[in-house]
Amino acid sequence: MVIIIAGLFVPVSEAASSSIVGSAHDFSINSTGSAFSQQFQVGPPGNWGDPISEVCVFCHTPHGASPDAQTNTLLWNRVSSPPNATYSYTPYTASTSTTVGPDTAGGTPTGISMMCMSCHDGVTSIAVGTLLNAPGSGSPEVSMDPLSTITFPGAIGNSVSFGGWGANIGNARPGIETVIDISNDHPISFEWNLSLPGYIYPPSRSELRLFGASGLRIECATCHSVHNNTHEPFLAMPNTNSDMCRACHDK
């Protein structure tokens, strides 16, 4: 009997972890998985409305989605990163490869990576007015609870003094740094160079997706699956023994 009960619990746990619901990407009032969950309201600061119980709305909207060509095919509900022309990107570079990206002017990421950076660049966040459409008619404003306190490393509450929004990959803080520095992170938004030795193409694991019209672009979502946190932190596959790394790198 004990064995049967244990067997029943395993798939339930796996099913829960494979959903965005309750994960660090769930900012709704019912979530306990994110430091930002239960912090958002419909309405301007000081004029509290209803707490937001929807999960998907923080990233997607059925109407009035972003017109940005980078993201509009996925009904994106955020402004793009960086939030204005004040900010610029510093991309990863390496002397051992070419066009490691981003391969666009100014080193700005492209495609699906821009969706990730609209929360992870350190200066763009749903907490600072970048959500296009809130639940309800008339696109009401979304505000963060003015009494909330979020002080864990890499995130802030309603002050910039703690060090940038969310998982701050860009090493920037709104109103302080103007450069979003991703030079110490794995390169993104570049075309796979088939002529370089030491790489496996296509990746030996189907979980690692490539993007773009060419089907050769490496983006954040090559290694991460934003709706599934089975393999933290939202990895597309387990990285035991560096298996994910070695699916692309012939080492």
Side-chain angles (χ1 to χ4, degrees):
M1 180 65 68
V2 174
I3 295 175
I4 293 175
I5 292 175
L8 289 174
F9 274 114
V10 171
V12 171
S13 175
E14 289 178 351
S17 63
S18 65
S19 170
I20 191 175
V21 176
S23 75
H25 284 166
D26 180 358
F27 307 119
S28 69
I29 188 64
N30 298 314
S31 173
T32 58
S34 168
F36 286 105
S37 64
Q38 308 177 23
Q39 306 290 336
F40 295 99
Q41 63 165 359
V42 175
N47 187 15
W48 274 92
D50 296 327
I52 299 176
S53 60
E54 295 185 23
V55 177
C56 302
V57 70
F58 291 99
C59 292
H60 303 283
T61 179
H63 304 288
S66 169
D68 189 332
Q70 302 279 1
T71 60
N72 61 9
T73 57
L74 296 173
L75 296 175
W76 195 235
N77 197 24
R78 310 256 196 92
V79 300
S80 298
S81 170
N84 56 60
T86 301
Y87 297 95
S88 61
Y89 272 89
T90 299
Y92 176 91
T93 58
S95 59
T96 56
S97 57
T98 58
T99 333
V100 291
D103 54 14
T104 54
T108 302
T110 60
I112 201 167
S113 292
M114 289 301 284
M115 300 168 73
C116 302
M117 295 308 292
S118 71
C119 232
H120 290 286
D121 63 8
V123 297
T124 314
S125 169
I126 50 179
V128 288
T130 61
L131 198 67
L132 296 177
N133 294 310
S137 61
S139 296
E141 185 177 352
V142 170
S143 301
M144 192 171 180
D145 179 353
L147 301 178
S148 64
T149 55
I150 301 176
T151 58
F152 61 90
I156 59 177
N158 291 314
S159 167
V160 298
S161 63
F162 293 103
W165 291 108
N168 187 356
I169 298 172
N171 302 303
R173 294 167 293 176
I176 301 179
E177 287 87 11
T178 59
V179 176
I180 299 169
D181 185 2
I182 55 174
S183 63
N184 61 350
D185 301 294
H186 191 286
I188 53 173
S189 299
F190 67 98
E191 296 280 323
W192 191 298
N193 190 328
L194 299 179
S195 66
L196 291 176
Y199 299 92
I200 301 169
Y201 179 81
S204 61
R205 294 289 294 262
S206 61
E207 298 97 324
L208 305 182
R209 301 172 295 165
L210 299 178
F211 296 88
S214 63
L216 291 171
R217 291 192 73 76
I218 295 177
E219 304 287 0
C220 295
T222 298
C223 296
H224 293 279
S225 178
V226 298
H227 297 121
N228 185 341
N229 198 28
T230 300
H231 311 295
E232 294 185 10
F234 294 95
L235 296 180
M237 59 169 284
N239 198 29
T240 306
N241 300 319
S242 297
D243 286 345
M244 185 168 70
C245 304
R246 294 189 296 114
C248 291
H249 295 268
D250 186 12
K251 300 296 183 182

